[in-house]
mmCIF file of all heavy atoms in Angstrom:
data_model
loop_
_atom_site.group_PDB
_atom_site.id
_atom_site.type_symbol
_atom_site.label_atom_id
_atom_site.label_comp_id
_atom_site.label_asym_id
_atom_site.label_seq_id
_atom_site.Cartn_x
_atom_site.Cartn_y
_atom_site.Cartn_z
ATOM 1 N N LEU A 466 17.494 -16.503 -1.505
ATOM 2 C CA LEU A 466 16.805 -15.388 -0.855
ATOM 3 C C LEU A 466 17.468 -15.045 0.472
ATOM 4 O O LEU A 466 17.670 -13.866 0.789
ATOM 5 C CB LEU A 466 15.331 -15.739 -0.642
ATOM 6 C CG LEU A 466 14.454 -15.776 -1.891
ATOM 7 C CD1 LEU A 466 13.109 -16.432 -1.590
ATOM 8 C CD2 LEU A 466 14.244 -14.365 -2.438
ATOM 9 N N ARG A 467 17.800 -16.051 1.241
ATOM 10 C CA ARG A 467 18.472 -15.823 2.527
ATOM 11 C C ARG A 467 19.791 -15.086 2.331
ATOM 12 O O ARG A 467 20.088 -14.117 3.047
ATOM 13 C CB ARG A 467 18.698 -17.151 3.250
ATOM 14 C CG ARG A 467 19.518 -17.018 4.532
ATOM 15 C CD ARG A 467 19.751 -18.356 5.204
ATOM 16 N NE ARG A 467 18.565 -18.805 5.909
ATOM 17 C CZ ARG A 467 18.249 -18.475 7.164
ATOM 18 N NH1 ARG A 467 19.048 -17.648 7.846
ATOM 19 N NH2 ARG A 467 17.175 -18.956 7.730
ATOM 20 N N GLU A 468 20.574 -15.532 1.388
ATOM 21 C CA GLU A 468 21.881 -14.917 1.160
ATOM 22 C C GLU A 468 21.737 -13.438 0.794
ATOM 23 O O GLU A 468 22.480 -12.581 1.301
ATOM 24 C CB GLU A 468 22.608 -15.671 0.038
ATOM 25 C CG GLU A 468 23.991 -15.128 -0.279
ATOM 26 C CD GLU A 468 24.684 -15.916 -1.388
ATOM 27 O OE1 GLU A 468 24.076 -16.856 -1.932
ATOM 28 O OE2 GLU A 468 25.841 -15.555 -1.705
ATOM 29 N N ARG A 469 20.773 -13.117 -0.059
ATOM 30 C CA ARG A 469 20.593 -11.740 -0.510
ATOM 31 C C ARG A 469 20.049 -10.862 0.619
ATOM 32 O O ARG A 469 20.458 -9.708 0.775
ATOM 33 C CB ARG A 469 19.666 -11.717 -1.721
ATOM 34 C CG ARG A 469 20.247 -12.402 -2.943
ATOM 35 C CD ARG A 469 19.218 -12.473 -4.055
ATOM 36 N NE ARG A 469 18.825 -11.145 -4.491
ATOM 37 C CZ ARG A 469 17.645 -10.858 -5.034
ATOM 38 N NH1 ARG A 469 16.730 -11.812 -5.161
ATOM 39 N NH2 ARG A 469 17.378 -9.633 -5.415
ATOM 40 N N ILE A 470 19.125 -11.393 1.408
ATOM 41 C CA ILE A 470 18.567 -10.627 2.523
ATOM 42 C C ILE A 470 19.640 -10.373 3.579
ATOM 43 O O ILE A 470 19.756 -9.262 4.117
ATOM 44 C CB ILE A 470 17.351 -11.344 3.123
ATOM 45 C CG1 ILE A 470 16.186 -11.338 2.115
ATOM 46 C CG2 ILE A 470 16.918 -10.698 4.435
ATOM 47 C CD1 ILE A 470 15.026 -12.233 2.518
ATOM 48 N N GLU A 471 20.429 -11.381 3.890
ATOM 49 C CA GLU A 471 21.495 -11.208 4.881
ATOM 50 C C GLU A 471 22.499 -10.155 4.432
ATOM 51 O O GLU A 471 22.985 -9.361 5.248
ATOM 52 C CB GLU A 471 22.197 -12.541 5.134
ATOM 53 C CG GLU A 471 21.373 -13.533 5.948
ATOM 54 C CD GLU A 471 22.111 -14.838 6.178
ATOM 55 O OE1 GLU A 471 23.154 -15.053 5.519
ATOM 56 O OE2 GLU A 471 21.641 -15.644 6.996
ATOM 57 N N ALA A 472 22.807 -10.125 3.144
ATOM 58 C CA ALA A 472 23.753 -9.130 2.640
ATOM 59 C C ALA A 472 23.200 -7.716 2.795
ATOM 60 O O ALA A 472 23.919 -6.781 3.156
ATOM 61 C CB ALA A 472 24.084 -9.425 1.179
ATOM 62 N N ALA A 473 21.902 -7.555 2.542
ATOM 63 C CA ALA A 473 21.279 -6.238 2.710
ATOM 64 C C ALA A 473 21.220 -5.848 4.174
ATOM 65 O O ALA A 473 21.509 -4.699 4.537
ATOM 66 C CB ALA A 473 19.876 -6.254 2.102
ATOM 67 N N TYR A 474 20.868 -6.795 5.018
ATOM 68 C CA TYR A 474 20.773 -6.506 6.458
ATOM 69 C C TYR A 474 22.151 -6.142 7.006
ATOM 70 O O TYR A 474 22.284 -5.229 7.833
ATOM 71 C CB TYR A 474 20.186 -7.712 7.195
ATOM 72 C CG TYR A 474 19.563 -7.354 8.522
ATOM 73 C CD1 TYR A 474 18.209 -7.059 8.620
ATOM 74 C CD2 TYR A 474 20.321 -7.299 9.688
ATOM 75 C CE1 TYR A 474 17.630 -6.717 9.829
ATOM 76 C CE2 TYR A 474 19.759 -6.956 10.898
ATOM 77 C CZ TYR A 474 18.408 -6.670 10.970
ATOM 78 O OH TYR A 474 17.844 -6.317 12.168
ATOM 79 N N ALA A 475 23.176 -6.851 6.544
ATOM 80 C CA ALA A 475 24.535 -6.564 7.015
ATOM 81 C C ALA A 475 24.962 -5.148 6.664
ATOM 82 O O ALA A 475 25.759 -4.521 7.376
ATOM 83 C CB ALA A 475 25.517 -7.569 6.415
ATOM 84 N N ALA A 476 24.419 -4.615 5.553
ATOM 85 C CA ALA A 476 24.768 -3.266 5.127
ATOM 86 C C ALA A 476 23.976 -2.195 5.868
ATOM 87 O O ALA A 476 24.216 -1.009 5.669
ATOM 88 C CB ALA A 476 24.538 -3.126 3.623
ATOM 89 N N GLY A 477 23.041 -2.603 6.720
ATOM 90 C CA GLY A 477 22.301 -1.644 7.526
ATOM 91 C C GLY A 477 20.838 -1.484 7.165
ATOM 92 O O GLY A 477 20.155 -0.647 7.756
#
Side-chain angles (χ1 to χ4, degrees):
L466 288 167
R467 174 181 283 273
E468 181 179 2
R469 294 174 63 207
I470 292 170
E471 287 180 348
Y474 202 93

